[in-house]
Amino acid sequence: MKYIIVKDDFGTEQPLVSSEILGHKDMAGHKPVVSAGFCGFNAEGHYVTASVWGDSTTLNVKSRPEDAALLERMLRS
């Protein structure tokens, strides 16, 4: 799966996740992008962990280790 982290109107970082069919640039639209790459999820019981890697060549940004925590928080909300 592909993901990007964008800043919302309040400056809060928000993750967006999509299948690999949609490009990182298409996901971003006109939002400011902080990071982007690829992600995977692993479920054990009721807990899901995320892993991130890679980058977006179209947006010229990389994934960050802290992005995994943002993706996990998104799943818990």
Side-chain angles (χ1 to χ4, degrees):
M1 299 184 86
K2 289 184 176 182
Y3 82 93
I4 62 173
I5 305 294
V6 297
K7 283 203 175 184
D8 65 17
D9 294 337
F10 303 103
T12 304
E13 294 184 1
Q14 301 289 339
L16 301 172
V17 178
S18 177
S19 71
E20 296 197 24
I21 295 171
L22 191 61
H24 286 115
K25 195 170 189 175
D26 296 324
M27 292 170 64
H30 298 290
K31 297 178 178 87
V33 178
V34 177
S35 60
F38 299 87
C39 62
F41 299 97
N42 185 32
E44 292 191 25
H46 294 290
Y47 192 70
V48 178
T49 57
S51 56
V52 298
W53 65 91
D55 58 13
S56 168
T57 55
T58 57
L59 295 173
N60 198 30
V61 293
K62 297 181 179 188
S63 60
R64 308 172 301 174
E66 61 264 38
D67 295 345
L70 289 170
L71 290 166
E72 290 168 4
R73 193 172 336 140
M74 174 191 71
L75 293 173
R76 287 191 296 260
S77 356

